[in-house]
Amino acid sequence: MNDTLDRNAFWKVSDHARRTYELPYPTDDMIGRVQGELGYVLPIAYVDLMRQRNGGMPKRTAFPTRASTSSAPDHVEVDAILGIGDALKLSLCGELGSAFWMKEWGYPAIGVYFGLCPSAGHEMIGFDYRACGPEGEPRVIHVDQEADYRITDLADNFAEFVAGLVDIERFARAADALPAFLWRTMSINAEVLRDDRVGGLGQFLNLDQTLAEGEVGWTNKKLFLPQRWKVERVTVGNGVVRLNAGVDGEYVLTTQNIGSLSFELLNGGGRPSDNETQTIWIKHAATRPPIE
């Protein structure tokens, strides 16, 4: 993979990515220790990529799918790829590494979880060793915790997965152009929830949409909210989802702004700060800004 993949074209360069995910280049000894702890031989293509940069955030983050998930009807998204080691919380054997998601979040013990999704733990990308055994070439899969840990096959191997990643803006533009019948407020349930587990979403707006038989569209969206907001009321009807946050303003979601709002909230990788989150909500959805 090192011979064919342009490092600068694949990896996103940022202080956040460097501090949160990037480990020193893995030695043979480190690779052996990590494989021993995980109980699986890591794919050669994955090891080659980690020898180029040991953990980080890819520039192209979307992988097209034929099956829908709780986040999107036609793709899954990977925010970060965990590196080989244990020195960072978000590394394969770190505090929030592969074993954590199986032990603390109940993900099926079918292999190694290496890819983080924007849903902050409610979806993961992993290596599935069920068919090949612990020393074979695993498939790459998406596991959807919100859909009772439903498994979606993505690629036959890691090299195929990397080659299949595309720019998320392709789907953001498509989301903005979705026809109105895929935004039917009579079929949408909206509520403010909290997930304060380690690696959780914190406070967020949860949207569930029920589709009729044969329809294709989104079924679930999770939108970060500022932690300091005290949301007084969420209402659904007349084509909009209206969120009243008291002194922090009033916001309206429609089929025209939901795609761009969702994309910008998730685009930076990880959870934006409270101020960044509020700025994004004001930009896309405010009908009454916060009271100064």
Side-chain angles (χ1 to χ4, degrees):
M1 181 170 286
N2 282 333
D3 295 333
T4 60
L5 188 64
D6 182 344
R7 165 191 178 125
N8 294 324
F10 182 78
W11 293 107
K12 182 186 296 184
V13 178
S14 71
D15 288 341
H16 170 74
R18 178 179 53 79
R19 291 192 307 267
T20 309
Y21 304 110
E22 192 171 342
L23 295 160
Y25 297 122
T27 63
D28 289 343
D29 178 65
M30 173 59 74
I31 293 168
R33 288 197 294 112
V34 166
Q35 291 182 147
E37 183 172 334
L38 294 172
Y40 297 97
V41 174
L42 296 168
I44 292 174
Y46 167 78
V47 173
D48 284 347
L49 184 63
M50 295 306 102
R51 290 189 189 276
Q52 180 195 89
R53 176 171 292 165
N54 194 13
M57 301 172 67
K59 289 182 177 179
R60 293 184 295 275
T61 60
F63 193 93
T65 61
R66 294 181 178 178
S68 64
T69 69
S70 61
S71 294
D74 52 6
H75 71 282
V76 300
E77 190 174 351
V78 56
D79 259 353
I81 296 175
L82 303 185
I84 299 173
D86 58 9
L88 293 175
K89 286 185 177 181
L90 290 168
S91 51
L92 282 188
C93 290
E95 183 180 338
L96 303 180
S98 181
F100 167 82
W101 300 105
M102 292 180 278
K103 181 180 179 181
E104 301 296 332
W105 280 59
Y107 276 83
I110 58 175
V112 177
Y113 292 95
F114 71 88
L116 303 179
C117 299
S119 55
H122 294 273
E123 302 164 82
M124 294 291 291
I125 308 295
F127 294 128
D128 181 357
Y129 287 84
R130 289 176 296 175
C132 66
E135 297 183 359
E137 182 72 32
R139 296 184 60 80
V140 176
I141 49 107
H142 170 269
V143 182
D144 192 342
Q145 186 253 0
E146 290 291 318
D148 196 25
Y149 301 99
R150 183 174 61 219
I151 295 172
T152 299
D153 282 335
L154 300 181
D156 288 341
N157 52 62
F158 184 74
E160 183 181 301
F161 172 72
V162 168
L165 289 171
V166 299
D167 195 326
I168 189 62
E169 288 189 7
R170 174 192 302 185
F171 297 99
R173 289 192 295 268
D176 283 337
L178 287 176
F181 72 85
L182 290 180
W183 178 263
R184 295 181 309 191
T185 48
M186 68 180 68
S187 302
I188 294 175
N189 179 66
E191 58 183 334
V192 173
L193 301 174
R194 292 200 67 92
D195 180 359
D196 292 324
R197 291 178 291 184
V198 176
L201 290 171
Q203 179 170 237
F204 64 99
L205 177 65
N206 188 72
L207 301 176
D208 288 318
Q209 179 172 237
T210 303
L211 301 180
E213 185 176 354
E215 284 185 325
V216 175
W218 67 273
T219 57
N220 178 264
K221 289 185 179 294
K222 295 177 176 64
L223 305 174
F224 294 126
L225 295 173
Q227 300 299 294
R228 64 174 178 264
W229 279 11
K230 292 180 170 51
V231 178
E232 297 179 353
R233 185 169 60 257
V234 179
T235 58
V236 182
N238 298 321
V240 304
V241 175
R242 190 178 301 274
L243 184 150
N244 188 318
V247 297
D248 289 305
E250 184 175 74
Y251 304 84
V252 170
L253 297 177
T254 71
T255 188
Q256 280 75 42
N257 69 2
I258 182 65
S260 54
L261 173 70
S262 177
F263 172 69
E264 192 164 345
L265 284 171
L266 299 174
N267 190 38
R271 194 186 219 293
S273 70
D274 257 22
N275 287 338
E276 291 169 334
T277 303
Q278 177 166 284
T279 297
I280 294 168
W281 273 91
I282 292 172
K283 174 183 175 182
H284 292 288
T287 59
R288 175 174 59 79
I291 297 173
E292 298 295 337

